[in-house]
Amino acid sequence: MVYELGVKYLKVWQPNGFPSPINIAKTLEILLVDHTLGIAVLTSIMRLAIGYGISLVFGFLFALIMLRFKALQENLSPLLLGLQTLPNVCWVPLAVLWFGLRESTIIFVVVIGSTFAITLAVESGVKNVKSIYLRAAQTMGAKGLKTYQDVALPAALPEIINGMKQGWAFAWRGLISGEMLMQVKGLGEILIVGKEKADINQIMAIMVVIIVLGLMVNKLVFERVEANIRYRWGLD
Amino acid sequence: MSLILDGVGKRFITKHRVVHTLENVTLEINQGEFLCLLGPSGCGKSTLLNIAAGLEKPTTGKVYFKEKEITEAGPDRAVMFQEAALFPWLNVIDNVEFAMRMSGMPKKERKEKALQVLKMVHLTEFQDSFIHELSGGMRQRVALARALTMNADLLLMDEPFAALDSQSKNILQMELQQIWWDTKKTIIFVTHDVKEAVLLADRVIVMAANPGRIKKEIKVQLARPRCLESLDTVYVEAQIMRELKNEVEKVAKAEYDSDWDLEKDTILLGPDHYLGIGL
Ligand SMILES: Nc1ncnc2c1ncn2[C@@H]1O[C@H](COP(=O)(O)OP(=O)(O)OP(=O)(O)O)[C@@H](O)[C@H]1O
Ligand SMILES: [Mg+2]
């Protein structure tokens, strides 16, 4: 309705510059029927899952190493903050030079985008844990890694989840920009193909898919975990 | 002999100044003794307790627990902090099980023991609640339960009941007396409350401030279980109150910079002023 009003009566939008929802739906259907969309979504999701999984492992690992060695912390934190401001796309040319046009290149771009967000969140989360929790744990015989596993990390979880969410958003961006620039199968590629065909419907259709997927993960994973934390801590 | 403090002193060096918190505190605590530390605010009671726990290192002097020098915190000395220090990400029973989990006790045994101590503090119904769902008094009871699971012979308690209303406080004091009686643990109990000290302690240590040191030791040889209303209790209370009064006054004067005067209230403190009780 809003769309019809805008195009037909107010003439604020060009019909070929801003497609109707109906046309987008039609394009989606076509893409679905010839399986391009399904395959693209699956490949993209696979890459994302692998990349984000690696980010989680490295993100936590780096954070723990930094927490263990004070000197590293002081020197690396500013560097990581700086790296975080670098948009994901900037890594693509470098990645292509290093790895060539391969699957691992995309994964690299995803990983590099989200790892540092996670590292920084874990590090600052653990540093901000109330010392009373650590002291109490110490008097109850918690030592070394157990202190991290059973006290520091759970206590820092609210902050860590935020970092993981941020990392997830960065991973998505890295993935799409990587796929667009490198034109290897996936959602990003269909987007670029849409641009080359000047098919606005296809571009919008893919954008909708990306947004919906992002929202779904947010709803199904992060929001649930967050709700659980809020319930436990009594933050509501 | 359970715990020995030998010439313990503590200085904190901060950016602005050096705080001389404790000086030459020497104290021996017997196995199974209930000791109360009493003193004005800032005289170093918490610091002393933290040193005994191994959370803080003394600047001078040594601390021995069961003939061994204390170098770090450990599960052989249970601590109950002023704030309950429970973990908000765990529910009540998991909080109580925490120490046992750290020591590697199997799940089933842990659960049994946790339920057993929760029963002692009358909280079995709340085992699945999260900490924020409990009242302040219930939190302190969970903290007590958690401390009791540790099988530590020494229990260090830092004003555990200070923030509670007098009703919950009374109940917990009675429960603690009972538990101490049943388990025969050594307990060091920090408090501001003279009544509480007399009710619970075998021996009361009155501390003085600036620097923190032991001013007077008073043995409380009253029959147990004690109750707050009995005459003997009130008598010992008054005796301790007199010792403490000077110290509190000194600190108050220093802190508030005014002509603070407690003399006006001394009619309540003297042992011969029972306000008509003997009529
Ligand atoms: N970490 C610290 N750094 C610097 N000064 C400290 C530190 N801990 C304690 N102090 C100082 O040591 C003194 C005693 O503190 P402490 O907490 O032991 O007093 P307290 O007797 O427990 O007082 P209260 O009854 O009010 O709890 C205070 O003057 C305080 O300023
Ligand atoms: Mg204190």
Side-chain angles (χ1 to χ4, degrees), chain A residues 40-96:
Chain A
V41 168
L42 278 183
T43 10
S44 289
I45 293 277
M46 268 306 278
R47 287 175 183 148
L48 204 56
I50 295 173
Y52 189 61
I54 297 176
S55 294
L56 281 180
V57 173
F58 279 130
F60 274 84
L61 215 62
F62 286 157
L64 293 184
I65 292 171
M66 275 166 71
L67 285 165
R68 181 73 187 72
F69 303 101
K70 274 259 153 47
L72 267 179
Q73 214 175 94
E74 281 154 22
N75 296 319
L76 279 184
S77 275
L79 182 69
L80 289 192
L81 269 174
L83 281 179
Q84 248 214 308
T85 58
L86 194 69
N88 286 339
V89 208
C90 304
W91 288 100
V92 178
L94 191 68
V96 172

Side-chain angles (χ1 to χ4, degrees), chain B residues 12-14 17 19-21 39-48 56 82 158-159 190 192 210:
Chain B
F12 288 105
I13 299 167
T14 59
R17 61 207 191 98
V19 187
H20 205 148
T21 302
S41 184
C43 71
K45 304 181 296 291
S46 296
T47 308
L48 195 64
E56 209 99 62
Q82 191 160 357
D158 192 355
E159 301 187 36
V190 172
H192 270 130
N210 297 320

